[in-house]
Amino acid sequence: MSKKVVIVGGVAGGATALARLRRVDEHAQVVLFERGEYISFANCGLPYYIGGTIEERDALLVSTPEHIMEKFNVDVRIQSEVIKIDKDNKKVDVKNLKTGELYSESYDYLILSTGSTPLKPPIPGIDAPNIFSLWNIPDTDTIKEYIDIKKPRTAIVVGGGFIGLEMAENLHDQGLNVSVVEMLDQVMAPIDFEMAQIVHEHLRSKGVKLHLKDGVSKFDYNNGLTSITLQSGETVKADMVILSIGIRPNGELAKDAGLSQNQRGGVVVDKFLRTSDEFIYAIGDVIEVEDYVNKVQTMVPLAGPANKQGRIVANNILGKYKEEYKGTQGTSIAKIFDLTVASTGVNEKTLNRLGKEYKKDYNMVLIHVNSHAGYYPGALPMTIKLIFNKDGKILGSQIVGYDGVDKRIDVIATAIRFNGKIEDLIDLELAYAPPYSSAKDPVNMVGFVADNLMRGLTDQVLWRELSEMDSSKYQLLDIREDIEREIGFIEDSLHIPLDALRTRLGELDKTKIYIPYCAIGLRGYLADRILKENGFQSMNLAGGYTTYKTMYKQTDYTVATEPKAFSDTGVANVNVGK
């Protein structure tokens, strides 16, 4: 006897579950309810339609309800909201939003794919007509129409996450002057502070003004203009406002049915994605998942995991396979103007929140490398941060750069999924030709640096540790060339170029700890080895002057400059292939 499966909600998880159910069992009865008009659309592409990169609205529609019903022989009912689950009698109550009709639908198994909703806190004035959220096709149409008709010149984006920054870029592309307001001291929460500083610098170079560590106190709307009073007391004004301050799971239906939930309203599921009711499964943004790295419960609203969960649930319901969902590691990527920002696994902020300490429980390295061989035209810089435990197991990585970021983060994400260690990054044989990579791929390189640190061949000091050190006991040593020092240097640093270091060791004091630094850390490592081999105490400055300058030299406005590759010796600001 065929099973009847009812799915509540479409898009990534629900639509995938529907398709998998049909592919595995031609005779299963499948009914999908969606309270909106669209069950399968490219929600990640919405900002780019507003910005004009995606020209046709129809390109956002992955599939129509009519096409899905014809292709998969299923029952799809749009503008139909499931308002109650009667788990004792295995049925749901449904409201037809077009006609107001109320009726019940039975099920053998129920899949909840109810997703999430943008947060809209009770801030005074938040319902002004020029304040918008972006989450679905109707939101997109509303924003697009407002821009086309009202011709706004200024915009404020509240929230510096993925959608917020993508909207900042696309509104900028439409010719608006854009500001971003963010409660935290950085944008892009999945990455750590020093990596976010690269993004801050790039945003400012594009003319985007940042208001960090500042939230919204109230909105005041007057004749098409909204004035925002920030918690600091500062006031900013704009013709339109985009809210992107987070989401909440749509867990009300599950709560009313008595299904187990966490404190955030997320549905609790077991390893088979089954809720506290054996005939009800849940997937996507609405569920609590296991952090793949830390093995703690969390919530990660990403399309990739939701798709996988839809497939797993279909397999488990039909009994063809018994599959476990093995956790989410949060691999993500975003385009921020010319930059690509990517992360996978755990960041330092999360580790610190879990009580883990740097150097005691985990370590990290940070390097600046080129996207491909420096001598081949078009090489562009990228910064890679790698986090690993004392045994060398890879815990997470973040990459910010202009080219080749996606493939490097995917390689490291794969290594994490297979419980890889630093030695595995070194052993990887990755594709190489000058237009694509270097003989030592950036993934290999970050492995080499981490391996040197683990073996004690080098010690490092982070930018954030300098201010905590006793300045009477250490000496910064600038080992760059004269021309590089003219561009800028760290105050109170001694200047001895690397090539002259061996012949000038007699000028150094062996009672001091020396911290050599170069542009990106490569020559600093060489200097560190020379000093150590000659009986000096030494620690390389991680990331070199490039990281230090990014952390300490930013201003409210940064002049846009073309990104330049590093030479193969690690010299910064060299025009390669020009």
Side-chain angles (χ1 to χ4, degrees):
M1 182 177 175
S2 63
K3 295 175 180 177
K4 182 178 180 180
V5 183
V6 169
I7 304 170
V8 184
V11 196
T16 297
L18 176 149
R20 182 63 175 174
L21 285 165
R22 176 56 70 233
R23 285 196 297 268
V24 174
D25 188 342
E26 178 64 21
H27 305 291
Q29 186 179 354
V30 182
V31 182
L32 186 146
F33 293 104
E34 169 58 51
R35 65 183 176 184
E37 296 182 50
Y38 309 94
I39 70 164
S40 185
F41 63 92
N43 50 358
C44 294
L46 301 182
Y48 301 100
Y49 171 63
I50 292 171
T53 301
I54 297 173
E55 297 180 359
E56 299 297 329
R57 181 180 181 276
D58 287 349
L60 299 171
L61 305 177
V62 178
S63 191
T64 64
E66 295 77 16
H67 180 254
I68 289 177
M69 286 191 284
E70 180 181 356
K71 182 177 181 180
F72 293 106
N73 186 28
V74 293
D75 185 355
V76 174
R77 305 179 200 175
I78 60 172
Q79 293 185 280
S80 297
E81 182 176 9
V82 173
I83 58 176
K84 182 180 178 182
I85 300 170
D86 181 353
K87 60 184 183 184
D88 294 330
N89 295 302
K90 297 177 70 174
K91 66 178 184 178
V92 294
D93 292 342
V94 185
K95 181 178 182 179
N96 185 318
L97 299 179
K98 290 183 289 186
T99 66
E101 176 193 2
L102 298 173
Y103 64 95
S104 296
E105 190 77 30
S106 65
Y107 65 83
D108 294 319
Y109 289 93
L110 181 66
I111 301 174
L112 298 180
S113 179
T114 49
S116 54
T117 301
L119 288 173
K120 194 174 181 180
I123 300 172
I126 199 168
D127 293 320
N130 66 343
I131 299 179
F132 309 94
S133 294
L134 178 65
W135 202 242
N136 53 33
I137 296 287
D139 293 340
T140 306
D141 292 338
T142 301
I143 295 170
K144 182 79 169 170
E145 181 181 23
Y146 188 87
I147 293 173
D148 292 343
I149 295 175
K150 299 293 185 179
K151 309 294 183 186
R153 293 176 296 173
T154 56
I156 292 174
V157 177
V158 182
F162 285 90
I163 294 176
L165 294 190
E166 287 169 352
M167 279 303 299
E169 174 186 352
N170 282 281
L171 291 172
H172 178 277
D173 287 349
Q174 287 285 4
L176 281 74
N177 290 321
V178 182
S179 299
V180 174
V181 174
E182 170 56 56
M183 278 277 294
L184 300 177
D185 59 358
Q186 65 165 85
V187 300
M188 301 294 286
I191 63 176
D192 287 316
F193 184 67
E194 69 269 25
M195 301 296 283
Q197 290 292 88
I198 304 170
V199 184
H200 296 166
E201 190 172 39
H202 189 64
L203 286 167
R204 289 175 175 132
S205 78
K206 297 297 183 180
V208 175
K209 190 170 183 180
L210 300 178
H211 301 270
L212 302 175
K213 299 178 70 174
D214 215 348
V216 176
S217 178
K218 66 176 180 175
F219 299 98
D220 290 299
Y221 176 78
N222 182 27
N223 195 27
L225 188 70
T226 287
S227 175
I228 302 178
T229 303
L230 302 180
Q231 291 175 357
S232 64
E234 182 181 359
T235 299
V236 291
K237 298 180 180 181
D239 299 320
M240 68 180 299
V241 177
I242 301 293
L243 298 178
S244 182
I245 51 182
I247 61 173
R248 62 170 182 81
N250 293 329
E252 296 86 355
L253 194 62
K255 179 181 179 181
D256 292 343
L259 300 178
S260 295
Q261 291 183 296
N262 63 17
Q263 289 183 338
R264 295 172 58 187
V267 179
V268 175
V269 295
D270 65 12
K271 60 185 178 181
F272 302 110
L273 301 173
R274 186 172 48 203
T275 70
S276 53
D277 184 293
E278 63 177 317
F279 299 104
I280 303 177
Y281 291 75
I283 57 179
D285 291 5
V286 76
I287 69 168
E288 179 183 82
V289 296
E290 183 179 77
D291 179 324
Y292 182 77
V293 176
N294 292 309
K295 306 304 179 187
V296 297
Q297 298 307 112
T298 186
M299 297 190 72
V300 185
L302 291 171
N307 275 281
K308 294 179 183 68
Q309 291 158 11
R311 178 186 174 94
I312 289 171
V313 161
N315 290 341
N316 288 339
I317 286 175
L318 295 177
K320 301 292 183 181
Y321 311 93
K322 201 65 175 175
E323 277 192 68
E324 296 181 14
Y325 183 67
K326 298 177 182 177
T328 301
Q329 66 190 68
T331 304
S332 58
I333 192 166
K335 174 183 177 294
I336 311 298
F337 290 95
D338 305 317
L339 275 181
T340 300
V341 182
S343 66
T344 187
V346 70
N347 57 33
E348 281 198 88
K349 289 178 295 187
T350 301
L351 287 171
N352 297 158
R353 190 167 61 247
L354 294 173
K356 308 290 186 181
E357 296 180 22
Y358 171 63
K359 288 186 178 178
K360 178 182 176 183
D361 302 298
Y362 71 91
N363 218 323
M364 61 79 82
V365 292
L366 185 148
I367 67 170
H368 303 282
V369 289
N370 290 328
S371 55
H372 61 248
Y375 59 82
Y376 186 88
L380 293 170
M382 72 170 68
T383 301
I384 304 178
K385 178 175 182 175
L386 188 74
I387 302 170
F388 49 97
N389 69 13
K390 305 304 286 185
D391 296 324
K393 183 179 178 181
I394 306 162
L395 303 178
S397 181
Q398 302 151 41
I399 309 180
V400 178
Y402 296 88
D403 182 49
V405 169
D406 52 345
K407 66 178 180 178
R408 273 61 186 234
I409 202 70
D410 282 344
V411 169
I412 297 174
T414 303
I416 291 174
R417 181 57 62 161
F418 294 148
N419 297 312
K421 293 189 172 184
I422 295 302
E423 61 199 60
D424 298 310
L425 298 187
I426 294 173
D427 290 341
L428 286 174
E429 184 177 334
L430 302 171
Y432 160 61
Y436 303 106
S437 184
S438 301
K440 298 174 184 175
D441 187 86
V443 172
N444 299 134
M445 283 300 299
V446 77
F448 293 144
V449 174
D451 183 66
N452 286 337
L453 190 64
M454 289 185 65
R455 292 179 184 275
L457 289 174
T458 187
D459 296 294
Q460 69 177 11
V461 59
L462 306 181
W463 63 269
R464 65 190 188 221
E465 295 177 304
L466 281 179
S467 61
E468 301 170 0
M469 297 179 66
D470 185 346
S471 59
S472 66
K473 295 182 179 179
Y474 75 86
Q475 173 65 58
L476 283 159
L477 182 62
D478 185 346
I479 52 90
R480 299 173 301 159
E481 299 301 318
D482 293 346
I483 191 172
E484 293 178 88
R485 189 169 172 85
E486 291 176 8
I487 297 171
F489 57 89
I490 303 176
E491 190 176 354
D492 296 326
S493 59
L494 176 66
H495 181 219
I496 301 178
L498 178 62
D499 291 346
L501 182 58
R502 287 186 177 88
T503 60
R504 295 178 60 181
L505 289 174
E507 302 174 23
L508 303 182
D509 181 354
K510 286 196 173 183
T511 65
K512 293 270 190 179
I513 299 172
Y514 284 91
I515 302 176
Y517 72 88
C518 62
I520 61 174
L522 174 58
R523 288 171 294 163
Y525 164 64
L526 300 178
D528 181 41
R529 291 301 305 150
I530 291 171
L531 290 166
K532 278 182 166 58
E533 288 292 298
N534 285 277
F536 291 88
Q537 300 177 77
S538 175
M539 303 172 72
N540 187 21
L541 180 61
Y545 185 68
T546 297
T547 293
Y548 181 88
K549 179 181 66 175
T550 300
M551 298 309 303
Y552 291 109
K553 301 295 182 181
Q554 290 201 38
T555 59
D556 287 339
Y557 181 76
T558 305
V559 177
T561 56
E562 183 179 352
K564 299 174 182 178
F566 302 108
S567 75
D568 289 335
T569 59
V571 178
N573 299 317
V574 176
N575 274 309
V576 178
K578 297 288 184 183

